Amino acid sequence: MTITETERTDTGRHVTVLVDRCAGCQECVIRCPAGALSMESASWTAQADDALCVGCRQCERTCPFSAIVVEGPLALATRVDPPVRHPVELHANVTETRPGYATWDEAIAEANRCLACPDPTCVRGCPAHNDIPAFVAAIRDHDLETAHAILRRTTVLPDVCSRVCNQAAQCEGSCTWSLAGGEPVAIGRLERFIADQVAVPAPVVVEPTATALSVGIVGSGPAAIGAAYELLAGGARVTVYERDDRPGGLLVWGIPDFTLPDVVARRPWEDLVAAGVDLRLATSVEPGDLDQLLEAHDALVMAHGAGQAMRLSVPGADLDGVGTATAFLQGAKAALDPGGDPAAFRASLGVAPGRGRRVLVLGAGNTAMDVARLARRVGLEATCVDWLDERFALARPDELAEARAEGVDVRFSRTLTSLEGFDGRVVRAVLSHTTQRDRTSAPVVSPDALDVLAVDLVVMAMGYRIEEGLRAHVPQTPIVKRHRGFAPGRWSASGILANPASPACFAQPVGALALDREVGLWESAMPRRERLWAAGDALTGPSTVVEAMAQGRRAARAVLDARPSRDGRAHGAEPSSPRVLVAYASASGTTARLAEVVGDELRRSGATVSVLPVERVDALAVAQADALVLGSWVEGLVVARVRAARAMRDFVDGLPWLGGRPVAVYCTYGVNPRTAPAELAHQVEARGGTVVASATFGPGDRAEDARIRPTKPEAFAHRVAAQVLTQRARATVA
Amino acid sequence: MAVLTEDHSRSGFPGSHQVDPIPVAIRTRPPSDPEATGRFAATDPPRGLDIARLKRVGGLLRDRRLQFLLILPNQIIFWLVIAIGIVGTVVPGLNFATAITWYLWFCLVFVMMVVVGRAWCAMCPFGGFGEWVQRRTFFKRTTKSLGLGLKMPERVAQYGFLLSVGAFLVLTWIEEFFNIAGPGNPMATSFMVLGIVGTALVFFLTFERRTFCRYVCPLSALIGTVGAMGSVAGFRTRDRSVCLSCATKDCMRGDAEGFGCPWYTWPGSADSNAACGLCTECYKACPSDNIGLYLQPPLTSVVAPSRRRADVAWSVALLFGLVLYQQVNALGAFVSLDNWLNTHLHFPQYPNPVDYVGIIAAVAVVLAAIGRLFSVAFARRDVVLAPGGTSFVERTSRFRSYFVPLMYGIIPVVGADYFARQLPKFLRYVPRVPVSIGHLFGFGSTSSRLYHASLIASNAGIIAVQDLVIALGTAAAMWASWRIAGRDLAPLSRRPLAARVAATALAGALGVVVAVLYVWMNAAN
């Protein structure tokens, strides 16, 4: 079909390639979802066909030289969004407020909005990295079994995540339409459509052999679910220890039914138990039990979550009528379950008829919203207060809007100053006004501006933290989920990092949020101590369901990869050659050459070796390595500030917890290394590494043509190989 | 839609359970490559001339301090120039500012551009200072930059080097008007250098990367065109297929080891050394060790590029006009013309802007007319030109298809002319440089023997050297024109051989004109 000139201009879109700046690298050509860009061979620059352009600006975001400008509207159909249900009668109503697609027509219409981007930013935005374009394409093909199969590669909770995820800050916030300023594809609803129409497949189970890994999981929340699915598929025997009498953790007690119906929340554990997971309910694991569990299992995955509610220390906090979100959520959920009695629940809270129904919820995050909305459903009036400015609110924007629509009074820029009581029970709350300049600065309290609220109940819903007892036995937790240093090249190349902060992403750039989440994912692959991994909130502190699930899967894969053994048994697999990562910081090339020499020697000793400059080492490389060799040049002035290079020191500081992993260090120097190797070794030990060898190489030690006897670097490599191979042998062969 | 097979990690450990799921979802289109190999074959330097393969050179290029250390001495020298020009002696020959700038530096820059290319750009203190401020570092890799980071507007950028040519013409006129290099008052040299540094700083704080160097710097067009004669090809790809399939393009975007190319040049498609600032950033950033620093036979970047640029052609024409103006203005007839114009236009002194612009424009127009004449005389009517774009550098026409290659062919004459033009000052006065340095420390004066020494004192000797340079440049231009015409003009021409001969003759004729002018100038400064 020929496109007429009128049709060309009718689109209103125009792509300008700045030809003097375009270098013909084709980053735009290979990523354009519409095929609107091609190469002009004479000038070797990109050329655009305006008629094909859909205005998504993917090219603008991915051009390394900013050589493309797109003007005009987005070629974007209206998003198919079933309206949120606002029940007329809230009392005792736990009907889901966010409906899914009811018909194929709706789902297909929405699926057709997906551009199937060649380098999909939504996949990076999804904490589990679901292959979103592929499952959307499967929906278009009416092939939901394939869609489930695609999802199963990366998630085991599509029915749950599609309901509880904050898609605006994850996949949908990273959708190319969203990055271009348009309405994103309703990825969450499409994922839910798959799970609503066809049951989520049962776990894949590889029958455990006699020598199968035995893995214990502490906790039964999303991280534990993710880990259990992965371990079953890897042929491991899985035992889960849950403190409560119902499995599911946060999923069953922390999320109200109007967001996550109970039948959906129960599904994963029903499937896992049926698949053979040994689920031990009402079994509390205390810090003193960990050693015993490590004797009983080859590996432990700590997925006990972050269940300790945070409390505010203000005058009157110990009055009757002041409680925590955990107790309220559990009680309210039970009261709203079939057979429950909201009135009895109210009475248990001391807010019986004639005594008032005003609940003050401290906090305005997602937990606070759940508390307040549940309060409305058990017949109470709810007011939420948060000291943050509304621009930097921690609640999902849609959750906040729904809560307000249901009559919850949400007040930002307020903080509780004191609670006043009468007859030992809270009756009044004094609130101060606050101001907050930007997202990272703490709000400032204005002592003069006060609100006084009459209250009958106060619920502290300011979040959770990891319980201190177990946390102390899981080293280096919680981790800081902050990506430091330069973004990985592929993340920059995809264009996800090109967008500025957005209100839907807590006033942060969606790409930065996604990259920060990667830190949690990579850290979950690292053992926190010998044969012990952590995932989910137990690793990162309070987080999201999907992150916890993804981390659980990643930790389980790390367990399967490491195949640890509590008693030296082989687990059926041939002991593989140890993997050694040689990372170096080199200024003139000497340290790099020595890294190659060491690497070659290790290879000759049977190790699988990767030699990389520290700038190119990513978390995956560290996670996969059985041992590390770190080489650095020595900076400083002969006697002053002589130490390992800054790049190496920064690298070691940024390493995930090494959990006793063997590490060898060497330094190259011109005059005198002084204490540089010792300081580097000390730094490595502070990150949980076990330093097995240390060496320094001066100008006379770098001979590359010693034919008679090994050079000093080669001798060092022999020593490292001996240590690594010995440890490996100890770990894999009885 | 093809799937690019990506390695699942950089760690290189095979057989792991831990596969990064993101690459699985990447289904990028295959890059267009059908003509890449053939298209770039003529401009790709010989593989063996990659000096980055030498371990010591490679290590040096990898060192982030390299460019800082290249810039630092020049930075010191030119801040000294600024200071000493203002506070030092008013005797030009004794003042370090005048002596180093006009007796040595300007000549050295021409030597560097003819031999190397953009060697000066790698060590330039003007751009270097702006870049330090913009990057907020002397040499470290930083993430946040200072300034607005704007792009050069396309309506300006499409003219490529022409803005730089304009800046050079304005600066030269100012230099002539104030007799800065004459040499006049050393303070004028200081203010000129300060002006360049200040302008550069403003541009570095307004625009991103080295927009100033690429588009505005007065020397950029001159180095970019004349530097094409140089024997350093710059940083180029070692294997183009690796560059085409590279998933990250770190050389353009930058990574932990290097900034993205400040000159907007991609080693994967570079076909000349015109826009490679030799800053080493791409070499540092490449994750595949796929970039080398290549040498090339002289004139390769004149003869070989298949993408000939109209801005380069017009730059050559205008720059030739400028240097011819500088030759002509040493003749008695010109002095009469300039005085006559000044009298009638009430302009205070030489150089009158009308004859300045007029002569330069006239030369460019004559060269354009010759191009037009070629197209009329030789062009085949049955040849259909490739469709061009709408911007200045993209447009195609029968005129351009002759004019542009012809101008590339005369680059060696223009380069030789500029070099020869600097020789009288250099040959006569360069011994004054050590005297001016000594003067800073209290010894060295106009009575020093060295002050009155010359490398070549006689006019005849200087003219001989100048004409020797022109003869070499003309020979190079004739050879280049013969080659260029054979490849670019012959297929378009009814009489291919005649077109080649005519193009070669044009280069020769221009060389003769220039050589004769040098004789008539009688070694004038």
Side-chain angles (χ1 to χ4, degrees), chain B residues 16 24 66 118 139 167 175 198 292 327 330 351 372 399 488 517-518:
Chain B
S16 165
V24 177
L66 174 65
R118 287 199 181 269
F139 52 82
E175 182 265 306
Q327 289 187 271
R372 175 78 182 141
F399 160 69
D488 293 359
L517 280 173
Y518 276 116

Side-chain angles (χ1 to χ4, degrees), chain A residues 418-433:
Chain A
S418 65
L419 293 170
E420 297 172 1
F422 178 75
D423 207 12
R425 182 169 180 89
V426 66
V427 294
R428 219 166 18 234
V430 181
L431 308 174
S432 293
H433 290 214

Side-chain angles (χ1 to χ4, degrees), chain A residues 5-40:
Chain A
E5 202 54 41
T6 313
E7 284 169 329
R8 281 179 185 280
T9 52
D10 275 351
T11 67
R13 284 178 290 281
H14 180 59
V15 184
T16 307
V17 178
L18 311 183
V19 287
D20 186 60
R21 182 182 282 237
C22 176
C25 71
Q26 307 193 41
E27 289 289 277
C28 55
V29 175
I30 64 172
R31 288 193 177 84
C32 175
L37 289 153
S38 58
M39 284 296 289
E40 204 282 293

Side-chain angles (χ1 to χ4, degrees), chain A residues 15-92:
Chain A
V15 184
T16 307
V17 178
L18 311 183
V19 287
D20 186 60
R21 182 182 282 237
C22 176
C25 71
Q26 307 193 41
E27 289 289 277
C28 55
V29 175
I30 64 172
R31 288 193 177 84
C32 175
L37 289 153
S38 58
M39 284 296 289
E40 204 282 293
S41 60
S43 62
W44 201 257
T45 53
Q47 61 181 4
D49 186 340
D50 289 348
L52 293 176
C53 175
V54 294
C56 70
R57 273 82 171 164
Q58 185 91 318
C59 50
E60 272 190 5
R61 289 190 294 276
T62 57
C63 176
F65 284 162
S66 314
I68 297 192
V69 178
V70 181
E71 297 158 298
L74 312 182
L76 181 57
T78 307
R79 175 169 154 136
V80 183
D81 249 344
V84 173
R85 293 190 195 113
H86 295 301
V88 176
E89 176 55 56
L90 270 179
H91 185 67

Side-chain angles (χ1 to χ4, degrees), chain A residues 18-21 23-27 29-35 39 41-45 62 64-66 69 118-120 123-124 129 131 134 154 486 489-493 525 554 557-558 560-561 579-581 587-588 593 608 610 612-613 615-616 618 620-621 624-625 704, chain B residues 6-11 13-14 16-19 21-22 25-32 35-36 39-40 55 59 63 65 141 143 151-152 154 157 160 208-209 214-215 244 246-250 252-253 255-257 261 264-266 269 284-287 307 309 391 393-394:
Chain A
L18 311 183
V19 287
D20 186 60
R21 182 182 282 237
C25 71
Q26 307 193 41
E27 289 289 277
V29 175
I30 64 172
R31 288 193 177 84
C32 175
M39 284 296 289
S41 60
S43 62
W44 201 257
T45 53
T62 57
F65 284 162
S66 314
V69 178
D119 188 355
V123 176
R124 294 180 194 276
H129 302 314
D131 189 349
T154 45
F486 291 86
R490 284 177 185 156
W491 283 71
S492 306
R554 187 63 65 93
R557 278 186 285 163
L560 294 169
D561 212 26
R579 290 169 298 201
V580 184
L581 171 66
S588 65
R593 282 195 293 279
T608 304
S610 179
L612 294 169
E615 294 83 1
R616 302 213 190 288
D618 57 23
L620 180 60
Q624 291 182 334
E704 292 170 15
Chain B
E6 302 213 12
D7 61 329
H8 285 185
S9 87
R10 279 169 151 168
S11 64
F13 296 129
S16 165
H17 288 81
Q18 310 225 20
V19 173
I22 298 174
I26 296 177
R27 302 171 182 90
T28 45
R29 299 164 194 283
S32 163
E35 300 168 54
R39 186 183 188 286
F40 292 103
K55 281 184 178 176
D63 195 325
R65 294 165 299 185
R141 173 68 169 105
T143 46
K151 287 190 283 192
M152 177 61 94
E154 175 61 1
E208 57 175 2
R209 308 197 193 197
R214 171 81 191 247
Y215 295 108
L244 281 171
C246 174
T248 57
K249 304 288 191 293
D250 290 328
M252 306 168 84
R253 291 194 175 86
D255 67 2
E257 295 193 66
C261 175
Y264 309 106
T265 295
W266 182 43
S269 66
K284 293 180 171 86
C286 178
R307 184 191 178 187
R309 297 170 52 112
S391 69
V393 290
E394 274 188 310

